[in-house]
Amino acid sequence: MNRTLIFIICLLVSAIGRSQVQSPDQFLGYKLGSQYTPHFKIVNYFKHIAEAVPNMVKLEQYGETNEGRPLLLAYIASVENASRLESIRMNNLRLAGVALDKMAPQADAPAIVWLSYNVHGNETSSSEAAMLTIYELVNPANTRTKEWFKNTVVIIDPCINPDGRDRYVNWFNSVVGRETNPQPFVREHNEPWPGGRPNHYYFDLNRDWAWQTQLETQHRIIQYNKWLPHVHVDFHEQSYNAPYFFAPAAEPFHEVITPWQREFQTLIGRNNARYFDEKGWLYFTKERFDLFYPSYGDTYPTYKGAIGMTYEQGGGSRAGAAVINQDGDTLTLWDRLYHHYTTGIATIEITSMHAGKAVQEFKKYYDKARSAPGGEYKAYVVKADEGDRIVRLKKLLDRNGIEWAYSNGANLSGANYFSSRNENFKTANGDIVINSNQSNSNLVNVLFERNSRLSDSATYDITAWSVPYVYGLNTYGLNNYVTGTTKTIATVSASVPSSPTAYAYAVKWNGLHSARFLSEVMKKGIKVRYAEQPFYVKGKAFEKGTLLITRTSNTSYNNTLEILVREASLAAGIDYTPVESGFVDKGFDVGSDKVRFIKAPAVALLAGDDVSSLGMGEIWHFFDAQIKYPVHVVWVNDLNRNVLKEIDVLILPDGNYRFFSEKSMNEALKEWVNNGGRIIAIESAVAQMSKNEWGIKLKEGDEKKDLKKDDKLEDYNSLRRYENRERDYIPNYNPGSIFKVELDNSHPLAFGYSEYYYTIKQDGNIYEFFKEGIGWNVGYVKKDNFVTGFTGSKTKEKLKDGLLFGVQDMGRGSIIYLADNPMFRSFWENGKLLFANAVFLVGQ
Ligand SMILES: [Zn+2]
């Protein structure tokens, strides 16, 4: 074929392509908003757009969900920019100073707007809006939107949480009649447990941006950090009676947020307001949704230099496809998606109007991050542990693009996070250093700050997440930069000297990797013991909890035992040590009864209406995805004597268990525990057991004293004012703060820990110490153990001198009380071993 012919064919193809762009209504075969669109049809629509307008739209699959649904990004740009997306992306990374090629950036670059839809699966209008939005961006008849592409690139993630969305949509479509019913009390407005909000493992993906514990987030953040958009919008829904919320956000703002980030939020908000005013739609700004906790879809982008925002439409799962609201008006799915469409389009418009400034300020943000970083310290030195917490921390830093290095054995001085004192210290092999003069300095400061500085205590979420406490790794804050080295150090050795005839194999119990190893060998049927006391072999120390796999109990494996142990050790990322004799140098011998047999427990985890889906999901994810140990998930209503007969450990996540008010069920549970069963009760499950005479007692607060004081009025200023009624709860409020817990680490529940642990405390519950003979006080707070975060004055007063983690022996069984959640959002890394102890070691 000659060139002219090819050219004509190309023209024809693109002309046909253009004429084929279908609106969502045409493509789906129903009016958008008249029913819910399942995820695969949204995917098909985006594919259609990419095929119909290939010169403006690139579609990329960036991963798959737990249930196998595709995660997509659509890049929409002018024809010219669409052909050079990769160079725009690279230039943007150079502007941020994070490109590896270190080339100078071009200042004249397009602004990048990233729109994220449907992070909460049952806030369903937003993915419907995503279809209308992309259509109007490429619709040849819409000349207005084409203008913006001269200086703006748009990235659309049509659905961050496809599994959650389809859970809701498939359920809704299965219960709705031929006509939707707008009465809010009917079935289609009340979705069943666990609801479509979270992902497959019931995690809230809008709390996971920084921690990246979930698959969807891990895939997405790789793409996010490859692009670093200048504006990011996270689309949500709230109660269907609420008006629309858009930027600017509410206080507290984190102090690292720049004046430009505040200012541009206001410009964007005013532009949104213009369209809402035109139509007379209700909206609000500056209230309720704050910018503080770093793991939201607005804050994380903000700490990455973007204008990060949350938009909230009234709706959610209780809105169904149409609902009568408190004003007597009917709110339809179309209304909801059209509002989201309007703000999305308005945000692109205003960004395009200020594209030059947006790019310039983005560059300034990163320049300042490197040259004049804020925050309390110039450098952070994190001491390595023997276990895998430091490995996990390094992974967290890498995932967030935070630069770190190994420290060069140096004598330094700095503020010790754990002792709160300035100290001289020497770095050791494996310790790491993070200097704050780097592109991601704001994120470093937010993740490492010792004290969260709140501008307002009425916040939406936890107020403390300082990484040293979360990981339980001692850290120093330094007033000077520290040079480090990037040389890698060996981790797990693939080849331990082969000892196929060793007397036993020992594996240390010092982190999540130990539990993963234990799970792996137990699944193979290998018999395992654990040492209740430390011991020494050939000068090597083995702490309490060390696992021992003896040849004697595992004779059936003959010479393959070591091969299986090695396989498990590689899978878990932990070394094992062959022990040649049962006679140890110091401590109890391998054959002592201080070396306890671990019976592989049959574990049941309760799920259903009485159970917090978040709390349950964290535990399910722990077993299923992290240590890969089988867990029986049981509906709470199916729990009975027959189920109890089959299991060794029963886990009650945070929840409100009605069976504790049934005499017969309490008796069945007590009988089962007396016969050797173990209950692990978490958070409010502990509070409920305290009310039902299981043995643990809630510590009384000072409520009576307060009443007396109020009776005798001495200060007229203490009279409650009506306008403050929404803030009167604050003295009793604890959204999530950190307390130091003293540990009795001679008890198996605290094996693998030093003498303390840092807990995330999210309520005011504290318990009386167990009296001798009743139970073990394994984790408790002393008189002044508050560390950081916001805790209301009355709650702070109460959280003293009491028990948080305890074990009660009952007959041959035991009850493990965990008043705080050691698995919090799965990012509370230092709590996971505590939980593994409760499951595998306590009561064995
Ligand atoms: Zn939401």
Side-chain angles (χ1 to χ4, degrees):
M1 266 190 287
N2 67 38
R3 278 182 169 189
T4 328
L5 190 58
I6 294 173
F7 180 70
I8 290 168
I9 290 171
C10 286
L11 271 185
L12 275 172
V13 168
S14 72
I16 292 165
R18 266 202 298 280
S19 67
Q20 277 181 342
V21 184
Q22 293 178 24
S23 69
D25 292 6
Q26 289 167 325
F27 184 85
L28 298 168
Y30 52 83
K31 174 144 178 45
L32 197 65
S34 66
Q35 64 187 72
Y36 281 114
T37 311
H39 184 254
F40 77 93
K41 288 191 181 171
I42 298 170
V43 171
N44 288 345
Y45 185 66
F46 271 72
K47 282 184 179 161
H48 159 70
I49 293 281
E51 280 160 17
V53 200
N55 54 0
M56 279 187 75
V57 179
K58 302 269 174 276
L59 193 65
E60 178 186 18
Q61 179 174 339
Y62 65 88
E64 245 182 31
T65 65
N66 288 295
E67 296 172 20
R69 294 183 178 86
L71 295 160
L72 298 181
L73 286 176
Y75 303 88
I76 308 110
S78 65
V79 174
E80 192 205 340
N81 282 338
S83 66
R84 57 178 196 109
L85 277 179
E86 185 57 15
S87 73
I88 291 171
R89 182 182 79 78
M90 280 305 296
N91 187 62
N92 194 54
L93 294 186
R94 287 176 202 129
L95 288 167
V98 296
L100 293 174
D101 63 15
K102 304 285 173 207
M103 280 165 62
Q106 286 178 307
D108 180 24
I112 302 164
V113 178
W114 181 308
L115 306 176
S116 291
Y117 296 89
N118 228 153
V119 59
H120 289 145
N122 60 8
E123 298 172 5
T124 0
S125 72
S126 74
S127 288
E128 310 281 348
M131 290 189 278
L132 185 58
T133 306
I134 194 166
Y135 173 66
E136 287 303 337
L137 291 177
V138 300
N139 177 3
N142 191 332
T143 49
R144 203 168 131 246
T145 55
K146 302 304 162 304
E147 275 301 298
W148 306 333
F149 287 120
K150 287 179 181 161
N151 61 12
T152 305
V153 170
V154 176
I155 303 174
I156 290 183
D157 189 329
C159 189
I160 287 185
N161 179 11
D163 293 351
R165 178 185 171 86
D166 268 3
R167 191 181 311 128
Y168 174 78
V169 168
N170 292 338
W171 167 78
F172 182 85
N173 288 341
S174 76
V175 297
V176 70
R178 278 178 299 107
E179 300 275 325
T180 187
N181 186 332
Q183 287 293 351
F185 55 81
V186 302
R187 178 178 62 167
E188 70 202 58
H189 295 277
N190 192 3
E191 62 173 336
W193 195 95
R197 178 184 171 94
N199 76 345
H200 176 77
Y201 287 109
Y202 311 155
F203 275 69
D204 184 337
L205 295 179
N206 192 34
R207 301 292 184 277
D208 194 44
W209 280 68
W211 318 119
Q212 298 159 45
T213 70
Q214 298 303 295
L215 208 58
E216 293 88 347
T217 324
Q218 289 164 9
H219 289 313
R220 190 178 66 257
I221 300 295
I222 291 171
Q223 304 307 317
Y224 188 91
N225 286 335
K226 270 161 87 174
W227 275 93
L228 298 175
H230 310 133
V231 173
H232 179 263
V233 184
D234 205 31
F235 290 89
H236 288 262
E237 290 189 271
Q238 53 184 332
S239 146
Y240 65 80
N241 283 314
Y244 200 99
F245 168 85
F246 47 72
E251 297 287 343
F253 276 49
H254 198 280
E255 60 173 12
V256 305
I257 294 168
T258 66
W260 163 251
Q261 286 175 317
R262 287 174 174 249
E263 186 190 326
F264 198 35
Q265 276 203 29
T266 305
L267 285 175
I268 291 169
R270 286 193 186 281
N271 197 48
N272 288 340
R274 202 158 59 87
Y275 291 99
F276 275 56
D277 288 345
E278 234 168 60
K279 296 272 173 49
W281 298 334
L282 292 177
Y283 58 89
F284 67 103
T285 65
K286 306 181 283 285
E287 288 176 72
R288 198 171 319 151
F289 301 100
D290 60 63
L291 290 177
F292 197 62
Y293 172 71
S295 218
Y296 295 132
D298 52 11
T299 44
Y300 186 84
T302 300
Y303 300 143
K304 287 264 176 185
I307 313 303
M309 295 172 296
T310 290
Y311 291 175
E312 298 264 358
Q313 163 65 37
S317 69
R318 298 201 77 99
V323 68
I324 300 168
N325 67 16
Q326 63 192 6
D327 302 343
D329 295 331
T330 302
L331 174 74
T332 65
L333 177 57
W334 170 258
D335 298 332
R336 290 152 59 197
L337 80 88
Y338 199 69
H339 297 164
H340 269 338
Y341 158 74
T342 303
T343 53
I345 290 286
T347 302
I348 301 168
E349 177 188 42
I350 188 82
T351 307
S352 170
M353 283 166 68
H354 298 271
K357 176 91 167 150
V359 174
Q360 196 190 335
E361 290 286 343
F362 173 80
K363 182 174 186 303
K364 256 168 66 182
Y365 176 98
Y366 278 100
D367 287 348
K368 183 169 174 279
R370 285 185 301 276
S371 62
E376 201 177 355
Y377 300 113
K378 286 208 157 74
Y380 305 86
V381 174
V382 184
K383 301 294 288 174
D385 66 337
E386 271 221 325
D388 64 345
R389 288 172 297 192
I390 190 82
V391 179
R392 305 168 78 72
L393 175 62
K394 288 185 285 193
K395 198 183 267 177
L396 176 83
L397 299 174
D398 286 343
R399 280 181 173 156
N400 284 299
I402 292 171
E403 293 163 21
W404 58 271
Y406 289 107
S407 63
N408 297 314
N411 291 304
L412 302 167
S413 81
N416 181 326
Y417 271 64
F418 289 180
S419 71
S420 299
R421 282 191 297 265
N422 276 310
E423 292 170 6
N424 295 323
F425 66 99
K426 195 172 162 40
T427 59
N429 203 17
D431 294 351
I432 64 167
V433 53
I434 300 136
N435 285 311
S436 69
N437 56 341
Q438 58 169 295
S439 294
N440 281 306
S441 72
N442 286 329
L443 193 57
V444 171
N445 293 336
V446 171
L447 294 181
F448 278 83
E449 63 191 349
R450 265 195 311 173
N451 298 303
S452 344
R453 281 177 289 273
L454 280 154
S455 55
D456 188 337
S457 46
T459 174
Y460 198 63
D461 208 303
I462 62 165
T463 57
W465 47 77
S466 189
V467 159
Y469 304 116
V470 170
Y471 280 74
L473 288 167
N474 203 3
T475 300
Y476 293 87
L478 280 70
N479 295 323
N480 51 290
Y481 298 122
V482 179
T483 50
T485 166
T486 51
K487 80 170 165 55
T488 52
I489 54 167
T491 48
V492 176
S493 46
S495 59
V496 174
S498 178
S499 300
T501 57
Y503 184 86
Y505 302 98
V507 168
K508 292 190 176 181
W509 188 260
N510 55 16
L512 189 61
H513 58 178
S514 311
R516 171 91 179 84
F517 173 86
L518 179 61
S519 156
E520 221 33 54
V521 286
M522 279 181 161
K523 277 190 295 184
K524 292 175 204 269
I526 294 171
K527 291 179 182 150
V528 191
R529 291 160 201 274
Y530 77 91
E532 217 180 273
Q533 293 293 330
F535 62 90
Y536 290 79
V537 174
K538 289 187 180 160
K540 198 169 172 182
F542 292 88
E543 287 301 322
K544 295 182 287 266
T546 297
L547 302 176
L548 283 158
I549 293 163
T550 55
R551 176 154 309 283
T552 261
S553 314
N554 292 292
T555 45
S556 58
Y557 296 98
N558 276 326
N559 290 345
T560 61
L561 184 61
E562 190 187 17
I563 295 169
L564 297 175
V565 167
R566 178 173 303 171
E567 277 172 13
S569 105
L570 284 172
I574 189 168
D575 278 328
Y576 69 95
T577 308
V579 177
E580 300 301 338
S581 164
F583 189 94
V584 303
D585 303 343
K586 201 174 150 193
F588 294 97
D589 290 328
V590 175
S592 158
D593 73 352
K594 294 283 190 306
V595 178
R596 318 281 302 175
F597 179 69
I598 308 177
K599 178 177 181 279
V603 181
L605 169 62
L606 293 186
D609 279 339
D610 296 0
V611 187
S612 149
S613 58
L614 293 171
M616 180 271 168
E618 287 153 3
I619 296 165
W620 183 25
H621 184 257
F622 174 81
F623 282 109
D624 207 44
Q626 297 179 53
I627 66 164
K628 300 186 168 68
Y629 187 81
V631 60
H632 306 298
V633 176
V634 178
W635 288 123
V636 70
N637 291 334
D638 290 345
L639 185 69
N640 58 31
R641 286 175 193 267
N642 291 333
V643 172
L644 289 172
K645 257 194 285 186
E646 301 294 324
I647 60 170
D648 304 301
V649 174
L650 174 67
I651 302 173
L652 310 182
D654 188 27
N656 180 22
Y657 295 91
R658 277 167 291 187
F659 62 64
F660 279 124
S661 55
E662 294 164 22
K663 194 165 168 257
S664 63
M665 201 53 204
N666 276 295
E667 278 168 5
L669 279 170
K670 280 180 183 162
E671 188 188 313
W672 172 74
V673 174
N674 271 307
N675 288 326
R678 280 171 278 154
I679 292 177
I680 302 176
I682 304 169
E683 292 185 275
S684 53
V686 179
Q688 281 183 287
M689 292 177 86
S690 77
K691 286 177 198 144
N692 288 284
E693 293 174 7
W694 275 77
I696 191 156
K697 288 197 179 72
L698 205 57
K699 228 180 141 202
E700 295 284 334
D702 294 338
E703 288 85 3
K704 284 176 194 156
K705 237 180 1 192
D706 289 341
L707 272 178
K708 262 187 206 150
K709 212 162 67 188
D710 287 350
D711 285 346
K712 260 196 289 164
L713 185 67
E714 282 153 6
D715 177 7
Y716 293 105
N717 289 325
S718 70
L719 287 172
R720 284 181 67 188
R721 281 182 66 80
Y722 183 71
E723 65 181 357
N724 293 336
R725 66 194 181 282
E726 285 180 353
R727 294 181 161 265
D728 283 341
Y729 69 94
I730 286 177
N732 292 309
Y733 186 47
N734 184 8
S737 50
I738 298 176
F739 283 74
K740 183 178 178 178
V741 177
E742 314 290 332
L743 293 178
D744 169 8
N745 66 4
S746 70
H747 192 283
L749 181 58
F751 278 5
Y753 288 86
S754 64
E755 277 130 17
Y756 47 85
Y757 166 80
Y758 293 91
T759 191
I760 177 92
K761 192 98 198 80
Q762 297 185 88
D763 56 26
N765 288 348
I766 188 161
Y767 296 87
E768 285 179 11
F769 287 107
F770 280 124
K771 297 210 169 67
E772 209 184 305
I774 304 287
W776 304 101
N777 299 297
V778 183
Y780 52 93
V781 287
K782 291 184 183 168
K783 292 215 161 34
D784 188 18
N785 278 29
F786 169 78
V787 177
T788 179
F790 174 80
T791 308
S793 53
K794 287 185 182 168
T795 300
K796 203 181 208 171
E797 195 50 44
K798 201 174 142 195
L799 289 175
K800 285 177 176 178
D801 202 21
L803 184 68
L804 290 179
F805 304 127
V807 177
Q808 182 184 345
D809 300 326
M810 187 184 274
R812 288 192 284 121
S814 41
I815 305 151
I816 299 131
Y817 299 104
L818 307 175
D820 293 342
N821 182 1
M823 313 285 273
F824 183 64
R825 292 179 189 167
S826 195
F827 83 81
W828 209 263
E829 290 289 349
N830 199 25
K832 291 175 183 174
L833 187 62
L834 193 83
F835 185 75
N837 286 337
V839 174
F840 295 111
L841 302 190
V842 174
Q844 294 269 15

